């Protein structure tokens, strides 16, 4: 056995931060763990399918170590980007680095250190789970016996231990997703590219998959989670990039993208609108009023809370029907980015 | 509480930067599944029938030296008092004729088994998107190609090499004194079989990479082999021009085998169509062209940007 060991949270944190030398005593495998802060860096990536369909349009971004979300509607170019990072597709222009390796020149090294979970079902017809995962381990550079041992281990890890001698063709959607994850992590990659990992899963299966992803992230594996499902990203990712029409439209941490909105409130009122708005502005409250819907959005001064709104309402005799925090959700950020891009395109 | 409670373990020693021989890994796992199925097993089993029948024939003939010598005389090879007296050249001719007859049979079994094993190799990978997972590993296109090639070659070699070894072994065992004159048939037969299995495997891989359906790939295979055999035979009969044997894929392979085992038949094997004296050149050119085209088809499919 090649010294496999269980990794708890504290140990995982140590592994994540450990310098290369302490991680790996075998001199044959230099730089085998990521030392770079940035796991993915691409610049000006452009790719056109056929003559017209531009999948990537000068995409530039940097993803730090950790769990990153790649968010975008269907057809935004997320899967294409992942395939370009792996060298499965060749970009027409631009360049990129994955784990500090050039995606064009060091393709084999990138693939050795990256685990890929494709969006679509991808198994060898008729093959049993353990053979499939062992073969993937061997193709990733593991020797035969450790590959088989590791295959059993990761299949147990994703809870397919009982089904490891069953042909993959008979697996349910959830089992197939977990099998894909097992084959992606079997060679213990430094970066995991997960393309829509919760696709087609029931709520329990989705919960299970997200738990696995979180745990892998805690174990020190950087993750790029490509999805169009906002709750998934919000739950497991520290940072996200919104992609639309082959371009990055927003990027930052979840906190950054929703920052500044904690001072925003939604107000619905009954009374004299103009005088209420005037009273609010006197108190330094920024207002945005839509007379058609009657929605009023206000941004109160820093540290004042809702007091200026309540005071203005009291002074003008305005009745407040609703006063709710208007903090922007990730969904709004997403929709804003995508719609903004669509308007820009039109 | 989280549903998942197991802990992930990292590898103490990361994988090597490249698998030593990824093609062997692909072929090892692939072969386990390539010969599954009743029909495939039936073909594998049946392919040993000619060797078994010929071995029994040799056994019964060899029981009586006089009957062997009588057959030799009937073949026009001369009258001899014992098998040991038969000249080396004549013994080689007789045994190479036996070998040729066996190889033709095995060749047809190979024609049947090749699409059963080979047609799904790339077509199924494309259909099931396994292509993507293979190519996301640190292997080259050639590793994938060679791995798939070995998957097909293994059973083909089995159904061709084993019967040949059985029959030649039996012949040398029953007909004493013939080994020293005819031992070169072993390496010659192996070379011929290797060429046959390699060409079959490369061509079926090329056909398999043309689409996602193994069934259509099989149909195309039979057009290439049996179809051209029929067309070639008709053209040969009609024109009596031996150049038309180059139309037929199997005739080209027969020509390679005949030249490699240096067949000079002692009986009429009904081979008017095969121009033995023409040499290997034209047949090898045709087969080489087919192999080059098939390899190009596979590589074109595997090249980045052409993912199905």
């Amino acid at each position: 056995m090649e010294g496999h060991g269980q990794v708890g949270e504290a140990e995982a944190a140590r592994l994540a931060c450990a310098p290369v030398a302490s991680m790996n005593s075998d001199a044959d495998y230099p730089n085998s763990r990521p030392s770079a802060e940035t796991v993915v860096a691409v610049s000006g990536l452009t790719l056109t399918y056929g003559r017209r369909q531009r999948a990537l349009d000068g995409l530039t971004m940097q993803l730090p170590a950790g769990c990153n979300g790649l968010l975008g509607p269907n057809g935004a170019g997320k899967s294409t980007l992942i395939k370009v990072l792996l060298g499965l597709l060749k970009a027409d222009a631009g360049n990129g680095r994955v784990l500090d390796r050039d995606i064009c020149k060091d393709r084999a090294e990138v693939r050795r250190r990256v685990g890929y979970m494709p969006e679509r079902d991808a198994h060898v017809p008729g093959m049993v789970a353990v053979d499939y995962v062992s073969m993937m381990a061997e193709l990733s550079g593991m020797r035969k016996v450790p590959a088989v041992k590791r295959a059993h281990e990761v299949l147990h890890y994703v809870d397919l231990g009982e089904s490891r001698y069953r042909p993959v063709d008979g697996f349910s959607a959830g089992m197939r997703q977990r099998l894909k994850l097992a084959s992606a992590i079997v060679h213990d990659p430094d970066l995991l590219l997960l393309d829509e990992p919760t696709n087609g899963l029931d709520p329990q299966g989705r919960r299970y998959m997200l738990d696995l992803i979180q745990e892998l992230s805690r174990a020190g594996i950087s993750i790029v989670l490509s999805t169009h499902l906002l709750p998934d990203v919000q739950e497991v990712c520290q940072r996200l990039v919104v992609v639309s029409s082959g371009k990055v439209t927003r990027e930052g941490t979840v906190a950054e993208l929703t920052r500044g909105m904690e001072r925003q409130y939604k107000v619905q009122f009954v009374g004299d609108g103009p005088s209420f708005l005037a009273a609010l502005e006197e108190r330094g409250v920024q207002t945005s009023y839509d007379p058609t819907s009657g929605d009023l959005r206000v941004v109160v001064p820093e540290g004042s809370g809702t007091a200026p709104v309540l005071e203005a309402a009291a002074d003008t005799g305005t009745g407040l029907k609703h006063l709710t925090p208007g903090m922007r959700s990730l969904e709004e950020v997403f929709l804003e980015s995508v719609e903004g891009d669509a308007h820009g395109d039109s | 509480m989280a549903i998942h409670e197991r802990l992930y373990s990292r590898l103490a020693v990361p994988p090597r930067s490249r698998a030593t021989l990824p093609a062997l890994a692909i072929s090892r796992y692939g072969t386990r599944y390539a010969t599954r199925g009743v029909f495939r097993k039936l073909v594998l089993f049946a392919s040993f029938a000619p060797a078994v029948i010929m071995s029994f024939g040799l056994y019964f003939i060899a029981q009586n030296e006089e009957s062997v010598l009588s057959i030799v005389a009937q073949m026009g090879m001369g009258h001899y008092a014992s098998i040991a007296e038969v000249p080396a050249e004549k013994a080689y001719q007789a045994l190479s004729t036996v070998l040729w007859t066996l190889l033709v049979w095995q060749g047809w079994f190979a024609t049947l088994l090749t699409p059963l094993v080979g047609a799904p190799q790339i077509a199924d990978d494309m259909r099931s998107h396994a292509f993507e997972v293979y190519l996301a590993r640190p292997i080259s296109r050639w590793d994938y190609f060679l791995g798939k090639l070995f998957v097909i070659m293994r059973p083909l070699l089995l159904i061709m090499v084993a019967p040949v070894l059985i029959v030649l072994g039996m012949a040398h065992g029953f007909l004493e004194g013939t080994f020293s004159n005819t031992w070169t048939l072993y390496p010659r037969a192996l070379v011929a079989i290797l060429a046959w299995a390699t060409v079959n495997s490369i061509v079926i891989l090329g056909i398999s990479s043309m689409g996602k359906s193994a069934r259509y790939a099989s149909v195309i295979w039979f057009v290439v082999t049996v179809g051209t055999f029929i067309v070639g035979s008709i053209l040969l009969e009609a024109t009596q021009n031996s150049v038309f044997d180059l139309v037929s894929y199997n005739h080209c392979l027969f020509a390679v085998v005949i030249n490699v085992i240096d067949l000079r038949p002692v009986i009429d094997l009904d081979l008017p169509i095969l121009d033995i004296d023409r040499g290997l050149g034209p047949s090898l050119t045709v087969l080489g062209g087919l192999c080059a085209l098939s390899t190009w088809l596979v590589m074109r499919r595997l090249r980045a940007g052409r993912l199905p």
Side-chain angles (χ1 to χ4, degrees):
Chain A
M1 185 79 180
E2 290 190 13
H4 297 206
Q6 294 295 312
V7 182
E9 264 187 54
E11 179 67 358
R14 186 189 69 77
L15 289 175
C17 307
V20 171
S22 68
M23 293 291 304
N24 180 18
S25 55
D26 194 332
D28 291 342
Y29 309 109
N31 303 319
S32 58
R33 297 288 187 219
S35 56
E37 288 288 313
T38 304
V39 288
V40 175
V42 294
S43 166
L45 279 187
T46 303
L47 189 142
T48 309
Y49 287 120
R51 287 186 180 173
R52 284 186 165 187
Q53 198 189 343
R54 181 159 281 199
L56 298 178
D57 190 4
L59 191 141
T60 300
M61 68 169 190
Q62 285 201 340
L63 299 178
C67 194
N68 299 277
L70 199 58
L71 197 60
N74 291 328
K78 307 183 299 290
S79 300
T80 304
L81 173 63
I82 287 179
K83 284 175 187 168
V84 170
L85 294 179
L86 284 166
L88 295 175
L89 293 173
K90 201 173 172 186
D92 303 328
N95 53 58
R97 296 183 79 78
V98 172
L99 298 168
D100 225 13
R101 306 277 173 166
D102 191 286
I103 55 172
C104 295
K105 291 176 190 159
D106 305 319
R107 227 167 5 185
E109 182 60 13
V110 167
R111 289 173 183 178
R112 185 181 72 82
R113 296 175 62 183
V114 171
Y116 171 50
M117 178 179 172
E119 179 184 2
R120 298 178 292 197
D121 277 344
H123 61 270
V124 182
M127 203 174 252
V128 300
V130 72
D131 278 353
Y132 175 70
V133 179
S134 316
M135 181 171 75
M136 291 303 155
E138 278 194 59
L139 294 183
S140 296
M142 294 183 74
R143 292 179 196 281
K144 190 177 162 188
V145 175
V148 174
K149 280 184 179 174
R150 175 74 175 172
H152 284 274
E153 204 175 285
V154 291
L155 283 168
H156 276 293
Y157 175 69
V158 299
D159 206 23
L160 286 176
E162 298 294 319
S163 311
R164 60 193 195 277
Y165 292 110
R166 275 177 54 193
V168 181
D169 310 57
F171 277 18
S172 68
M175 291 165 85
R176 284 178 190 212
Q177 292 294 81
R178 279 182 277 141
L179 178 76
K180 282 193 281 176
L181 182 65
S183 70
I185 60 174
V186 68
H187 59 297
D188 191 23
D190 298 318
L191 171 66
L192 258 182
L193 301 176
L194 308 175
D195 200 354
E196 308 277 4
T198 55
N199 248 10
L201 299 183
D202 58 22
Q204 198 187 13
R206 177 182 163 273
R207 172 77 267 138
Y208 195 91
M209 181 59 78
L210 293 179
D211 278 351
L212 285 173
I213 294 169
Q214 278 175 320
E215 196 184 297
L216 291 168
S217 177
R218 282 198 297 271
I221 298 176
S222 291
I223 288 170
V224 175
L225 171 65
S226 162
T227 182
H228 62 276
L229 301 171
L230 287 157
D232 291 1
V233 173
Q234 209 153 9
E235 200 163 322
V236 298
C237 299
Q238 292 106 41
R239 189 184 156 79
L240 72 98
V241 174
V242 182
V243 180
S244 179
S245 305
K247 286 182 284 200
V248 172
T249 51
R250 286 285 172 89
E251 60 181 317
T253 61
V254 175
E256 272 169 10
L257 290 175
T258 54
R259 184 177 296 159
M261 307 317 290
E262 66 275 10
R263 291 187 286 125
Q264 193 181 82
Y265 291 90
K266 282 180 189 172
V267 182
Q268 280 196 332
F269 62 92
V270 184
D272 181 12
S275 60
F276 179 50
L277 292 178
L280 286 171
E281 278 163 17
E282 272 174 25
R283 288 167 173 79
V285 178
Q286 294 169 35
T287 60
S288 161
Y289 182 53
D290 180 359
T292 326
S293 63
D295 279 348
L296 172 65
R297 277 179 178 265
V298 296
V299 181
V300 297
E302 186 120 26
S304 65
T306 54
V309 182
L310 297 173
E311 284 168 15
D315 288 355
T316 56
T318 306
L320 294 179
K321 284 166 71 181
H322 291 288
L323 176 62
T324 51
M327 195 174 83
R328 193 160 59 160
S329 72
L330 202 52
E331 188 168 347
E332 282 175 287
V333 174
F334 174 61
L335 289 173
E336 218 173 83
S337 307
V338 174
E339 281 165 9
D341 185 61
H343 292 314
D345 286 350
S346 63
Chain B
M1 192 184 82
I3 297 173
H4 186 264
E5 289 179 346
R6 289 192 181 88
L7 289 172
Y8 178 73
S9 60
R10 299 212 68 166
L11 284 174
V13 179
R16 292 160 290 169
S17 50
R18 196 172 183 281
T20 316
L21 286 168
L24 288 186
I26 293 174
S27 92
R28 194 171 61 247
Y29 286 101
T31 311
R32 275 185 211 171
Y33 295 91
T35 48
R36 287 195 178 177
V38 178
F39 193 57
R40 289 187 184 108
K41 284 201 166 67
L42 200 67
V43 173
L44 274 174
F45 187 72
S47 66
F48 282 83
V52 173
I53 293 165
M54 289 176 95
S55 298
F56 273 114
L58 282 169
Y59 172 76
F60 287 118
I61 290 169
Q63 292 303 302
N64 187 346
E65 193 175 16
E66 277 178 21
S67 69
V68 176
L69 294 172
S70 138
I71 290 171
V72 167
Q74 282 170 20
M75 284 176 171
M77 293 165 70
H79 296 271
Y80 305 98
S82 70
I83 293 173
E85 279 182 23
V86 177
E89 192 193 341
K90 303 282 183 191
Y92 186 92
Q93 279 182 359
L95 214 51
S96 67
T97 306
V98 171
L99 178 64
W100 159 255
T101 312
L102 177 68
L103 280 175
V104 170
W105 272 103
Q106 298 314 118
W108 285 112
F109 277 110
T111 303
L112 190 58
L113 188 65
T114 301
L116 289 174
V117 175
Q121 288 304 322
I122 296 182
D124 274 6
D125 277 358
M126 287 197 287
R127 188 169 48 81
S128 66
H129 310 295
F131 226 38
E132 238 175 271
V133 208
Y134 276 115
L135 298 182
R137 304 281 155 178
I139 62 169
S140 70
R141 291 182 290 159
W142 286 102
D143 291 326
Y144 178 84
F145 177 75
L146 287 176
K148 293 292 180 182
L149 191 72
F150 294 154
V151 171
I152 307 167
M153 281 180 72
R154 280 185 180 194
L156 290 185
L157 289 175
L158 174 74
I159 67 159
M160 296 181 94
V161 173
V164 163
L165 291 181
I166 290 170
V167 169
L168 285 182
M170 292 285 184
H172 287 135
F174 297 141
L175 308 171
E176 285 171 26
T178 52
F179 181 80
S180 59
N181 303 325
T182 57
W183 67 269
T184 56
L185 278 174
Y186 287 99
R188 283 171 185 272
L190 286 178
V191 171
I193 289 167
L194 202 60
W196 198 320
T198 308
V199 172
N200 269 16
S201 305
I202 293 175
V203 171
I204 192 67
L205 272 186
I207 294 171
S208 179
S209 72
M210 288 166 72
K212 293 181 185 177
S213 165
R215 203 166 290 176
Y216 288 135
S218 301
V219 171
I220 296 173
W221 166 260
F222 284 115
V223 169
V224 169
T225 53
V226 182
T228 59
F229 181 81
I230 294 168
V231 171
S233 302
I234 292 170
L235 286 172
L236 283 164
E237 284 298 319
T239 62
Q240 292 297 312
N241 186 345
S242 67
V243 79
F244 285 109
D245 65 14
L246 295 175
V247 171
S248 164
Y249 173 84
N250 275 17
H251 283 161
C252 289
L253 281 171
F254 291 161
V256 170
V257 173
I258 285 170
N259 278 282
V260 171
I261 65 171
D262 195 19
L263 175 70
R264 293 286 182 273
V266 291
I267 52 173
D268 181 13
L269 288 172
D270 193 20
L271 297 173
I273 51 174
L274 292 170
D275 189 350
I276 294 172
D277 295 325
R278 192 170 55 208
L280 274 169
S283 301
L284 275 185
T285 307
V286 172
L287 295 173
L290 266 177
C291 288
L293 175 68
S294 304
T295 309
W296 177 77
L297 282 172
V298 178
M299 288 299 153
R300 179 174 160 272
R301 184 64 83 182
L302 293 172
R303 202 176 304 139
R306 284 192 183 272
L307 275 172

